[in-house]
Amino acid sequence: MKITTSSIIFLLTACSSASALATDTPRRVLVTGAAGQTGQHIFRKLLAKPGYAPIGTVRSEESRQALLAGTAGIGAADKDAVIPSSSVVICDITNADTSAIDELMNDCDALMICTSAKPAPTGEINEETKRPIFGFPNGQPELVDWIGQKKLIDAATKAKKDVHVVLCGSMGGTNPDNSLNNLGKITKSDGSVTGGDILKWKRKSEVYLINESGCPYTIVHPGGLLNEPGNERELCLGVDDKISGTSNNSVPREDVANVMISALEDESYRGRSFDLVSKPVGDGVRTKDYGKLLKSLDGKNSDYSLGEIA
């Protein structure tokens, strides 16, 4: 075979094209709780971001249809952003059968956990405090934030590849008496108390991810979640419910989504667990550099010896 200049050019072009195809393969990211408000921010941003092929999970057909129609949470403001129906799947993490979760994770190289038990008023009033009583109609924190999240983490481990798990937790975990832990508690006739303790169950899931899974991880503990636009504030990080630089204890959900997505793209976010809040709009300098934001922690991580674990 005679090797000519044109044949060399052809081979080089073919190799270059093959290389491009290999590097241009979209990252498949499983986003749980994609119909929720924070999860939906993440899911929609990844759909719009080049280089990603996210799969969003929801717990029911009703949630799936609402997400696709743009009527679930933030979707009401994004009806023009079409979501491919093939990108949304029903997967209830509280089911005993984990085969659906395992199958989904086999095709993904990252997992964004945005699933959590959601409190709602029961319609009853506490006779002592005269305040509404809250319950968890779709599953107590033990079932959702511990058992369900553990199933997701186990699926990531079983995938036997470098699955980066990015988990959305909550601030307040260092205080066992945090009022959030009282939501959904049930006093039985014998005086024993069950249910609730959402922050303690979240903490149990996080410790399991860190110590038992073997997966690279990033854990974000946002403060009070705001349904306000992101990309407008200076963000602040801290650990153990202490954040310097602001007395504000809240953060827009969209900014939480931005930080969690940055964790997928910046290796320095791996192996980190921290708290996140924002300054009020107009106070400080709007955060644009998420690598610089992480460096503000000076290497600190959350201390799980503080507080209580369920």
Side-chain angles (χ1 to χ4, degrees):
M1 175 182 177
K2 183 179 180 181
I3 301 177
T4 64
T5 300
S6 58
S7 64
I8 292 174
I9 293 174
F10 173 79
L11 288 171
L12 289 173
T13 302
C15 290
S16 176
S17 298
S19 176
L21 286 172
T23 56
D24 289 349
T25 302
R27 291 186 68 185
R28 290 180 65 82
V29 181
L30 189 66
V31 182
T32 71
Q37 295 179 89
T38 305
Q40 190 174 165
H41 273 297
I42 293 171
F43 182 51
R44 287 181 177 274
K45 284 177 179 289
L46 290 178
L47 278 171
K49 197 173 181 66
Y52 288 93
I55 301 295
T57 71
V58 296
R59 64 180 304 274
S60 67
E61 180 61 30
E62 181 182 5
S63 297
R64 182 175 183 273
Q65 291 303 324
L67 179 57
L68 293 174
T71 58
I74 68 163
D78 285 319
K79 289 183 179 178
D80 293 334
V82 178
I83 295 177
S85 60
S86 59
S87 295
V88 183
V89 298
I90 299 171
C91 183
D92 188 346
I93 65 170
T94 65
N95 287 342
D97 183 0
T98 64
S99 58
I101 298 173
D102 294 340
E103 185 176 348
L104 286 170
M105 278 310 311
N106 278 335
D107 294 329
C108 294
D109 62 6
L111 168 64
M112 311 284 270
I113 300 179
C114 304
T115 311
S116 180
K118 186 176 180 180
T122 63
E124 300 175 274
I125 299 295
N126 184 303
E127 294 183 2
E128 288 185 22
T129 64
K130 305 303 180 184
R131 294 180 179 177
I133 296 175
F134 283 77
F136 291 94
N138 294 320
Q140 280 278 350
E142 180 181 6
L143 179 61
V144 181
D145 294 85
W146 164 234
I147 296 174
Q149 288 191 10
K150 180 179 181 295
K151 290 175 183 176
L152 291 168
I153 295 167
D154 287 343
T157 303
K158 284 185 282 187
K160 294 182 179 179
K161 52 185 178 179
D162 191 31
V163 177
H164 185 186
V165 180
V166 184
L167 189 154
C168 183
S170 174
M171 285 185 66
T174 63
N175 178 15
D177 298 321
N178 190 294
S179 59
L180 291 177
N181 286 327
N182 292 324
L183 297 177
K185 283 192 172 180
I186 302 169
T187 302
K188 295 183 176 181
S189 57
D190 62 1
S192 62
V193 179
T194 62
D197 284 335
I198 187 168
L199 297 179
K200 297 179 184 180
W201 290 114
K202 284 180 178 291
R203 215 159 174 79
K204 187 177 182 72
S205 177
E206 293 169 17
V207 169
Y208 182 78
L209 171 60
I210 294 170
N211 294 336
E212 304 296 333
S213 73
C215 292
Y217 66 87
T218 306
I219 299 170
V220 182
H221 300 135
L225 294 165
L226 303 174
N227 294 320
E228 298 179 9
N231 304 301
E232 295 182 353
R233 306 166 185 243
E234 180 175 335
L235 305 181
C236 302
L237 302 186
V239 295
D240 306 328
D241 297 320
K242 296 176 183 177
I243 298 181
S244 61
T246 183
S247 59
N248 193 46
N249 63 355
S250 59
V251 60
R253 294 177 186 273
E254 185 176 5
D255 284 321
V256 177
N258 290 338
V259 170
M260 291 180 68
I261 291 173
S262 295
L264 291 179
E265 303 178 333
D266 185 338
E267 290 284 328
S268 63
Y269 272 83
R270 294 190 174 207
R272 306 306 301 272
S273 177
F274 53 83
D275 304 339
L276 167 67
V277 299
S278 67
K279 293 183 178 181
V281 175
D283 184 1
V285 180
R286 180 165 62 92
T287 296
K288 297 180 181 178
D289 187 336
Y290 293 95
K292 183 179 179 181
L293 174 66
L294 186 68
K295 289 178 181 177
S296 68
L297 286 173
D298 293 325
K300 295 190 294 291
N301 271 330
S302 299
D303 181 356
Y304 286 90
S305 70
L306 302 175
E308 291 181 8
I309 296 172

